Amino acid sequence: MGKSTPFSFKNLFFLSLIIAFSFSGLIAQTVTTDKLDYVPGETAYASGTGWLPNEPIVLNVHEEPVYHPDVVTNITADAFGNFSNVAIYDFEQHDFGSSFTLTATGQTNGPVYAYFTDGQLAIWAWRNQPGPTLNSWASGTTIQQANSVYAEGEVIPYRWTSIAGGGSAPNLTEGVTYTIQLDYAFAGGTTSPNKFFHDYLTSYNATEPASVPFGPGSDLAAFQTGNVQTIGVPDDPSVVVGDPSGVFTLFNIDPSSVTFGSYTIQPVNANQEDRLLNITFIPDDGDATPGETLNVGIAWGAHLATQIDYGFENGAANFPGASPQMVIDLDPS
């Protein structure tokens, strides 16, 4: 996620689902992919800004699990330090379900990272800045300076649906048990363990006037009529601050069936440690008709850590290195 130079908690900073950053003076180098998620047969394209004029850059794509060696593309930035629409990866059928890391390294700058997937679930986030997507949910796209501005202490609204966006899950079957896993950037890894990004989960509308994600008034036609319920967000015992009143908003899910796993740690790299939370549930639209195929959704918010809580420059505005993300997996096993 892109951000400018470090500043106090009172200033705004920018968030992106796939943009990462490094610093050279006052210029932030960025690298992005044209989509968050691809399907077999598509090609991923990369763009970047903030590099030195005419700087040679190496773009390296690494796949997990590994089906073939890393794909390396050598390019040169233009006279303004930018590049755009560089083909970096052609997706094959065996890539379905894989995750990819794009690393951009210049002669004097980088490395800078971006992340994308092949056939993974769609996730929506709330855009709040003027433009064609002002005050709307956006799926499979980047939240960045052009469309969203958030500050430490604010909450970014997220939602997942079973049928929205490329690579999303099929409609789910009533009476069958499913698990989704929330995976979000939490702490600064071994290099900055006292810096935090999303420190806790809460309600989707805790600070933003986000429109209802499901039910009457939703922007999703297939999600306006159904069973809308809420259930409390479990506390993370490792977090000293939080919102005990926060809730997950559920669509076509039986709240009595919902169970939560423990918050677990996932080291990503030296600059990032993620938190994982499993949510297990049974779809139910409330009409007592077993075996139906239903549209299913969950909405929540993620709080941006503040240096008021964690100390000077230890909030989200100063999160280090790697690209902060919010990721969803369906049946993570």
Side-chain angles (χ1 to χ4, degrees), residues 1 9 21 26 46 52-53 64 103 108 132 135 174 189 192 210 231 245 264 280 298 325:
M1 303 200 181
F9 71 93
F21 44 83
L26 297 178
L52 294 178
E64 288 291 342
T103 304
T108 60
N135 291 335
E174 188 167 3
S192 305
I231 190 168
S245 64
T264 59
T280 299
I298 300 177
Q325 296 186 88

Side-chain angles (χ1 to χ4, degrees), residues 16-283:
S16 159
L17 292 178
I18 56 174
I19 289 183
F21 44 83
S22 67
F23 292 102
S24 176
L26 297 178
I27 300 176
Q29 290 74 50
T30 71
V31 62
T32 67
T33 52
D34 58 321
K35 297 172 64 176
L36 280 174
D37 182 76
Y38 302 84
V39 297
E42 291 186 323
T43 297
Y45 294 88
S47 299
T49 61
W51 301 84
L52 294 178
N54 304 310
E55 181 176 12
I57 302 169
V58 178
L59 302 177
N60 186 94
V61 176
H62 176 74
E63 179 180 18
E64 288 291 342
V66 177
Y67 290 110
H68 41 64
D70 291 2
V71 176
V72 177
T73 304
N74 294 283
I75 63 169
T76 301
D78 64 20
F80 301 98
N82 304 322
F83 60 91
S84 62
N85 298 321
V86 177
I88 56 170
Y89 195 87
D90 295 319
F91 293 91
E92 301 175 3
Q93 188 62 45
H94 65 246
D95 294 323
F96 190 81
S98 295
S99 299
F100 298 83
T101 300
L102 166 62
T103 304
T105 307
Q107 279 191 320
T108 60
N109 295 307
V112 180
Y113 305 93
Y115 303 91
F116 53 99
T117 55
D118 183 13
Q120 298 298 309
L121 301 184
I123 187 172
W124 304 70
W126 183 255
R127 291 179 166 185
N128 62 10
Q129 285 297 291
T133 56
L134 170 64
N135 291 335
S136 66
W137 294 97
S139 173
T141 52
T142 301
I143 291 182
Q144 57 184 347
Q145 176 179 351
N147 56 52
S148 302
V149 177
Y150 289 93
E152 290 188 357
E154 295 181 338
V155 171
I156 300 173
Y158 293 103
R159 73 178 175 190
W160 165 75
T161 64
S162 60
I163 64 169
S168 64
N171 292 351
L172 306 184
T173 303
E174 188 167 3
V176 175
T177 300
Y178 297 91
T179 297
I180 65 169
Q181 183 178 82
L182 305 189
D183 178 343
Y184 55 96
F186 177 74
T190 57
T191 61
S192 305
N194 296 319
K195 295 183 184 290
F196 297 89
F197 193 74
H198 282 322
D199 54 345
Y200 64 85
L201 306 179
T202 184
S203 306
Y204 76 88
N205 57 353
T207 63
E208 290 289 311
S211 62
V212 295
F214 316 114
S218 170
D219 60 323
L220 297 174
F223 289 77
Q224 295 184 12
T225 302
N227 182 21
V228 181
Q229 303 279 351
T230 60
I231 190 168
V233 175
D235 290 337
D236 183 345
S238 68
V239 178
V240 297
V241 297
D243 178 10
S245 64
V247 299
F248 286 104
T249 298
L250 313 174
F251 184 81
N252 283 345
I253 291 175
D254 177 5
S256 68
S257 73
V258 177
T259 59
F260 298 101
S262 300
Y263 288 91
T264 59
I265 296 172
Q266 181 187 54
V268 177
N269 53 47
N271 292 317
Q272 185 170 319
E273 172 192 296
D274 283 6
R275 273 291 187 273
L276 307 178
L277 177 65
N278 284 7
I279 306 173
T280 299
F281 61 88
I282 297 174

Side-chain angles (χ1 to χ4, degrees), residues 301-323:
H303 180 261
L304 293 164
T306 75
Q307 65 174 353
I308 292 177
D309 293 322
Y310 299 104
F312 180 63
E313 294 190 346
N314 283 340
N318 294 97
F319 196 74
S323 176

